[in-house]
Amino acid sequence: MMVNESALNLGTPESVSVRKKKWEENILAYLFLAPSLVLFATFLFYPMVKSVYLSMTLTDPRGRVVEFVGLDNFSDLLASGQFYSNLKVTLLFILFTVPTSIVWSLFLAAITHNKLRGMKVFQFIFSLPIVISVGTGSIIWFLLFHPTAGMLNYFLSIAHIDPIPWLTSPSWALVSISLLTIWMNMGFLFIVLSSGLQGVPEEIYESAKIDGSSPTRTFIQIVLPLLSPTIFFALIVSVIGAFQAFGQIHILTKGGPMNSTNVIVYSIYQDAFVNFRFGIGSAQALVLFVIIMILTVVQFKVLEKKVHYQ
């Protein structure tokens, strides 16, 4: 009868020593991971579990749980016309901000991607919004949007154009918030896309120039495919960030006028922390989480096929 030699060696001192060493290494690894696991459990896993629980409850005006209602909050939410209105505003906000931010930042990165004198100054200026907080940026643009003392309407008056009610008109409020958001996103996207352009070898530009390719054709047909992984990353991050936009809306419009800037995140804030309806607020948060996850998966499944990693 044949006996497996490795099975006979399981009880040898060498195998016991190896297993003991691996066990000690695992314990050491978990000890190093323990602080991170504690932070994740405290600020991520526990809030997630708490949100799932609260989404199945009703709360009193003080925010205390008074009744367990199961999935009633989700059914009421999905049957509400206000939720779909907020979702429409959110999708419009994403449509206004994400493509424009990426195209504008890519344009700025492209025109500053040369060795001309003084380009470092422009690179610093274009990346500056990344260090400005949402609150500070919102106050700056609030002054620009002021109907009488704002610089934007002042420039329009010079051109003999009637002043625009930037933040008080339902037709212009979301556009105004989008302009501010594009400016705030510009710094991060400019740095990311500039880094991607710096990763394109100079030999490619030289070879294209020798072959008689124009700068525009070289950028569109050669550089953009090489830059597709960076653009794909910028797209994913920008979409997720647009879904989570809150600060500029809270400071400038508070969801108005006439709910024209009432995105889902701001609706969650109003339900949970203004009206103390933590159940419906948690339900909205979970629905938003599912929407973001589905869109992210779809982007990976559909758009990643067009990404060239080599």
Side-chain angles (χ1 to χ4, degrees), residues 93 134-135 138-139 142 167 177 180-181 184 244-256 261-263 265-270 273-274:
F93 177 72
V134 175
S138 299
I139 296 300
F142 178 78
L167 300 176
I177 296 295
L180 164 59
T181 305
M184 288 195 307
Q244 298 175 340
F246 170 79
Q248 60 269 43
I249 296 172
H250 180 60
I251 294 173
L252 294 182
T253 63
K254 298 189 183 302
T261 59
N262 193 17
V263 295
V265 169
Y266 196 76
S267 178
I268 293 172
Y269 163 77
Q270 287 179 317
F273 301 106
V274 177

Short mmCIF file of all heavy atoms in Angstrom, two decimals, residues 93 134-135 138-139 142 167 177 180-181 184 244-256 261-263 265-270 273-274:
data_model
loop_
_atom_site.label_atom_id
_atom_site.label_comp_id
_atom_site.label_asym_id
_atom_site.label_seq_id
_atom_site.Cartn_x
_atom_site.Cartn_y
_atom_site.Cartn_z
N PHE A 93 -27.35 67.30 -12.63
CA PHE A 93 -26.14 67.87 -12.03
C PHE A 93 -24.90 67.10 -12.49
O PHE A 93 -23.86 67.70 -12.82
CB PHE A 93 -26.27 67.84 -10.51
CG PHE A 93 -25.07 68.34 -9.78
CD1 PHE A 93 -24.76 69.70 -9.76
CD2 PHE A 93 -24.25 67.46 -9.10
CE1 PHE A 93 -23.65 70.16 -9.08
CE2 PHE A 93 -23.13 67.91 -8.41
CZ PHE A 93 -22.84 69.26 -8.41
N VAL A 134 -14.65 73.53 0.31
CA VAL A 134 -15.97 73.74 -0.30
C VAL A 134 -16.62 75.00 0.27
O VAL A 134 -17.23 75.80 -0.46
CB VAL A 134 -16.87 72.51 -0.06
CG1 VAL A 134 -18.28 72.76 -0.59
CG2 VAL A 134 -16.27 71.28 -0.73
N GLY A 135 -16.49 75.19 1.57
CA GLY A 135 -17.08 76.37 2.20
C GLY A 135 -16.49 77.67 1.67
O GLY A 135 -17.22 78.60 1.32
N SER A 138 -17.47 78.21 -1.96
CA SER A 138 -18.88 78.58 -2.09
C SER A 138 -19.09 80.06 -1.75
O SER A 138 -19.87 80.75 -2.41
CB SER A 138 -19.74 77.70 -1.17
OG SER A 138 -19.63 76.34 -1.53
N ILE A 139 -18.40 80.54 -0.73
CA ILE A 139 -18.52 81.96 -0.36
C ILE A 139 -17.97 82.86 -1.47
O ILE A 139 -18.56 83.90 -1.80
CB ILE A 139 -17.80 82.24 0.97
CG1 ILE A 139 -18.47 81.47 2.12
CG2 ILE A 139 -17.78 83.73 1.27
CD1 ILE A 139 -19.92 81.84 2.33
N PHE A 142 -20.46 82.82 -4.15
CA PHE A 142 -21.67 83.53 -3.71
C PHE A 142 -21.53 85.03 -3.96
O PHE A 142 -22.49 85.70 -4.39
CB PHE A 142 -21.92 83.26 -2.22
CG PHE A 142 -23.12 83.98 -1.67
CD1 PHE A 142 -24.40 83.51 -1.91
CD2 PHE A 142 -22.98 85.14 -0.92
CE1 PHE A 142 -25.52 84.18 -1.41
CE2 PHE A 142 -24.07 85.81 -0.42
CZ PHE A 142 -25.35 85.33 -0.67
N LEU A 167 -28.78 82.57 -8.55
CA LEU A 167 -29.16 81.64 -7.48
C LEU A 167 -30.63 81.73 -7.10
O LEU A 167 -31.10 80.93 -6.27
CB LEU A 167 -28.31 81.92 -6.23
CG LEU A 167 -26.81 81.76 -6.39
CD1 LEU A 167 -26.08 82.15 -5.11
CD2 LEU A 167 -26.45 80.33 -6.78
N ILE A 177 -24.71 76.29 -9.59
CA ILE A 177 -24.05 75.31 -8.73
C ILE A 177 -23.09 74.46 -9.54
O ILE A 177 -22.00 74.09 -9.08
CB ILE A 177 -25.10 74.43 -8.02
CG1 ILE A 177 -25.98 75.26 -7.08
CG2 ILE A 177 -24.43 73.30 -7.24
CD1 ILE A 177 -25.24 75.86 -5.92
N LEU A 180 -19.80 76.37 -10.21
CA LEU A 180 -18.96 76.32 -9.01
C LEU A 180 -18.31 74.95 -8.86
O LEU A 180 -17.11 74.85 -8.56
CB LEU A 180 -19.81 76.65 -7.78
CG LEU A 180 -19.24 76.29 -6.40
CD1 LEU A 180 -17.92 76.99 -6.16
CD2 LEU A 180 -20.24 76.61 -5.32
N THR A 181 -19.07 73.88 -9.08
CA THR A 181 -18.54 72.53 -8.91
C THR A 181 -17.46 72.23 -9.94
O THR A 181 -16.45 71.58 -9.63
CB THR A 181 -19.68 71.50 -9.02
OG1 THR A 181 -20.70 71.84 -8.08
CG2 THR A 181 -19.18 70.10 -8.75
N MET A 184 -14.36 73.82 -8.72
CA MET A 184 -13.78 73.11 -7.57
C MET A 184 -13.12 71.81 -8.01
O MET A 184 -12.09 71.41 -7.46
CB MET A 184 -14.86 72.83 -6.53
CG MET A 184 -15.34 74.05 -5.78
SD MET A 184 -16.27 73.65 -4.28
CE MET A 184 -17.49 72.53 -4.93
N GLN A 244 -22.32 62.74 -4.44
CA GLN A 244 -22.17 63.09 -3.03
C GLN A 244 -22.08 64.59 -2.78
O GLN A 244 -21.82 65.01 -1.65
CB GLN A 244 -20.92 62.40 -2.47
CG GLN A 244 -20.99 60.88 -2.53
CD GLN A 244 -19.69 60.21 -2.09
OE1 GLN A 244 -18.63 60.84 -2.10
NE2 GLN A 244 -19.77 58.95 -1.72
N ALA A 245 -22.29 65.41 -3.79
CA ALA A 245 -22.18 66.87 -3.63
C ALA A 245 -23.21 67.37 -2.62
O ALA A 245 -24.39 67.04 -2.70
CB ALA A 245 -22.38 67.55 -4.98
N PHE A 246 -22.74 68.17 -1.69
CA PHE A 246 -23.63 68.67 -0.64
C PHE A 246 -23.29 70.09 -0.20
O PHE A 246 -24.16 70.96 -0.12
CB PHE A 246 -23.58 67.74 0.57
CG PHE A 246 -24.28 68.29 1.79
CD1 PHE A 246 -25.66 68.24 1.90
CD2 PHE A 246 -23.55 68.88 2.82
CE1 PHE A 246 -26.31 68.77 3.00
CE2 PHE A 246 -24.20 69.41 3.93
CZ PHE A 246 -25.58 69.34 4.03
N GLY A 247 -22.02 70.35 0.12
CA GLY A 247 -21.63 71.60 0.76
C GLY A 247 -22.02 72.83 -0.02
O GLY A 247 -22.60 73.78 0.54
N GLN A 248 -21.71 72.86 -1.31
CA GLN A 248 -22.01 74.05 -2.11
C GLN A 248 -23.51 74.28 -2.24
O GLN A 248 -23.98 75.43 -2.26
CB GLN A 248 -21.37 73.95 -3.50
CG GLN A 248 -21.81 72.77 -4.35
CD GLN A 248 -20.94 71.56 -4.16
OE1 GLN A 248 -20.57 71.23 -3.05
NE2 GLN A 248 -20.61 70.90 -5.27
N ILE A 249 -24.29 73.20 -2.28
CA ILE A 249 -25.75 73.33 -2.37
C ILE A 249 -26.31 73.86 -1.05
O ILE A 249 -27.19 74.72 -1.03
CB ILE A 249 -26.37 71.98 -2.75
CG1 ILE A 249 -25.90 71.57 -4.15
CG2 ILE A 249 -27.89 72.04 -2.69
CD1 ILE A 249 -26.30 70.17 -4.54
N HIS A 250 -25.79 73.35 0.05
CA HIS A 250 -26.28 73.78 1.35
C HIS A 250 -25.97 75.25 1.60
O HIS A 250 -26.79 75.99 2.17
CB HIS A 250 -25.65 72.92 2.44
CG HIS A 250 -26.08 73.28 3.83
ND1 HIS A 250 -27.38 73.23 4.25
CD2 HIS A 250 -25.35 73.71 4.90
CE1 HIS A 250 -27.47 73.60 5.51
NE2 HIS A 250 -26.25 73.91 5.92
N ILE A 251 -24.81 75.71 1.18
CA ILE A 251 -24.41 77.08 1.44
C ILE A 251 -25.11 78.07 0.51
O ILE A 251 -25.55 79.14 0.94
CB ILE A 251 -22.88 77.22 1.32
CG1 ILE A 251 -22.18 76.42 2.42
CG2 ILE A 251 -22.45 78.69 1.39
CD1 ILE A 251 -20.68 76.35 2.30
N LEU A 252 -25.26 77.73 -0.75
CA LEU A 252 -25.74 78.69 -1.74
C LEU A 252 -27.25 78.68 -1.93
O LEU A 252 -27.87 79.74 -2.04
CB LEU A 252 -25.06 78.44 -3.09
CG LEU A 252 -23.55 78.68 -3.14
CD1 LEU A 252 -23.03 78.45 -4.54
CD2 LEU A 252 -23.21 80.10 -2.69
N THR A 253 -27.88 77.50 -2.00
CA THR A 253 -29.30 77.46 -2.37
C THR A 253 -30.17 76.69 -1.39
O THR A 253 -31.39 76.84 -1.43
CB THR A 253 -29.47 76.83 -3.76
OG1 THR A 253 -29.00 75.47 -3.73
CG2 THR A 253 -28.69 77.61 -4.80
N LYS A 254 -29.58 75.83 -0.56
CA LYS A 254 -30.35 75.00 0.37
C LYS A 254 -31.45 74.20 -0.36
O LYS A 254 -32.57 74.05 0.13
CB LYS A 254 -30.96 75.85 1.49
CG LYS A 254 -29.92 76.55 2.34
CD LYS A 254 -30.53 77.20 3.54
CE LYS A 254 -29.47 77.95 4.34
NZ LYS A 254 -28.36 77.09 4.80
N GLY A 255 -31.09 73.71 -1.53
CA GLY A 255 -32.03 72.89 -2.30
C GLY A 255 -32.99 73.65 -3.16
O GLY A 255 -33.71 73.07 -3.97
N GLY A 256 -33.08 74.94 -3.01
CA GLY A 256 -34.02 75.76 -3.77
C GLY A 256 -33.35 76.40 -4.97
O GLY A 256 -32.19 76.09 -5.28
N THR A 261 -32.44 72.60 -7.04
CA THR A 261 -31.11 72.07 -6.73
C THR A 261 -31.16 71.04 -5.59
O THR A 261 -30.15 70.78 -4.95
CB THR A 261 -30.16 73.22 -6.32
OG1 THR A 261 -30.70 73.89 -5.17
CG2 THR A 261 -30.00 74.22 -7.44
N ASN A 262 -32.33 70.48 -5.37
CA ASN A 262 -32.50 69.52 -4.27
C ASN A 262 -32.07 68.13 -4.73
O ASN A 262 -32.89 67.29 -5.12
CB ASN A 262 -33.96 69.51 -3.81
CG ASN A 262 -34.14 68.80 -2.48
OD1 ASN A 262 -33.17 68.59 -1.74
ND2 ASN A 262 -35.36 68.41 -2.18
N VAL A 263 -30.77 67.87 -4.67
CA VAL A 263 -30.24 66.57 -5.04
C VAL A 263 -30.54 65.56 -3.92
O VAL A 263 -30.99 65.92 -2.84
CB VAL A 263 -28.73 66.65 -5.31
CG1 VAL A 263 -28.45 67.54 -6.52
CG2 VAL A 263 -28.00 67.18 -4.08
N VAL A 265 -28.63 63.75 -1.98
CA VAL A 265 -27.85 63.89 -0.74
C VAL A 265 -28.43 65.00 0.13
O VAL A 265 -28.53 64.84 1.36
CB VAL A 265 -26.37 64.15 -1.06
CG1 VAL A 265 -25.62 64.57 0.19
CG2 VAL A 265 -25.73 62.92 -1.66
N TYR A 266 -28.84 66.10 -0.47
CA TYR A 266 -29.42 67.17 0.34
C TYR A 266 -30.79 66.78 0.87
O TYR A 266 -31.16 67.18 1.98
CB TYR A 266 -29.53 68.46 -0.48
CG TYR A 266 -29.75 69.67 0.40
CD1 TYR A 266 -28.70 70.21 1.13
CD2 TYR A 266 -31.01 70.24 0.54
CE1 TYR A 266 -28.89 71.30 1.95
CE2 TYR A 266 -31.21 71.33 1.37
CZ TYR A 266 -30.15 71.85 2.07
OH TYR A 266 -30.34 72.92 2.91
N SER A 267 -31.53 66.00 0.12
CA SER A 267 -32.81 65.49 0.61
C SER A 267 -32.61 64.56 1.81
O SER A 267 -33.39 64.59 2.77
CB SER A 267 -33.55 64.76 -0.51
OG SER A 267 -34.76 64.22 -0.06
N ILE A 268 -31.55 63.76 1.77
CA ILE A 268 -31.23 62.90 2.91
C ILE A 268 -30.93 63.75 4.14
O ILE A 268 -31.40 63.46 5.25
CB ILE A 268 -30.02 62.00 2.57
CG1 ILE A 268 -30.39 60.99 1.48
CG2 ILE A 268 -29.53 61.25 3.81
CD1 ILE A 268 -29.21 60.22 0.95
N TYR A 269 -30.15 64.80 3.95
CA TYR A 269 -29.83 65.70 5.06
C TYR A 269 -31.10 66.33 5.65
O TYR A 269 -31.26 66.40 6.87
CB TYR A 269 -28.87 66.78 4.58
CG TYR A 269 -28.78 67.98 5.50
CD1 TYR A 269 -28.05 67.93 6.67
CD2 TYR A 269 -29.43 69.17 5.17
CE1 TYR A 269 -27.97 69.02 7.51
CE2 TYR A 269 -29.36 70.27 6.00
CZ TYR A 269 -28.63 70.19 7.18
OH TYR A 269 -28.56 71.28 8.00
N GLN A 270 -32.00 66.80 4.79
CA GLN A 270 -33.22 67.43 5.28
C GLN A 270 -34.10 66.44 6.05
O GLN A 270 -34.63 66.78 7.12
CB GLN A 270 -34.00 68.02 4.10
CG GLN A 270 -33.36 69.26 3.51
CD GLN A 270 -34.16 69.80 2.34
OE1 GLN A 270 -34.63 69.05 1.48
NE2 GLN A 270 -34.33 71.11 2.29
N PHE A 273 -31.68 65.11 9.39
CA PHE A 273 -31.11 66.02 10.37
C PHE A 273 -31.88 67.32 10.53
O PHE A 273 -31.54 68.13 11.40
CB PHE A 273 -29.66 66.32 10.01
CG PHE A 273 -28.80 65.09 9.97
CD1 PHE A 273 -28.39 64.58 8.75
CD2 PHE A 273 -28.42 64.43 11.12
CE1 PHE A 273 -27.60 63.43 8.69
CE2 PHE A 273 -27.65 63.29 11.08
CZ PHE A 273 -27.24 62.78 9.86
N VAL A 274 -32.90 67.54 9.71
CA VAL A 274 -33.77 68.69 9.88
C VAL A 274 -35.13 68.26 10.39
O VAL A 274 -35.66 68.79 11.37
CB VAL A 274 -33.91 69.50 8.57
CG1 VAL A 274 -34.89 70.66 8.75
CG2 VAL A 274 -32.55 70.02 8.12
#
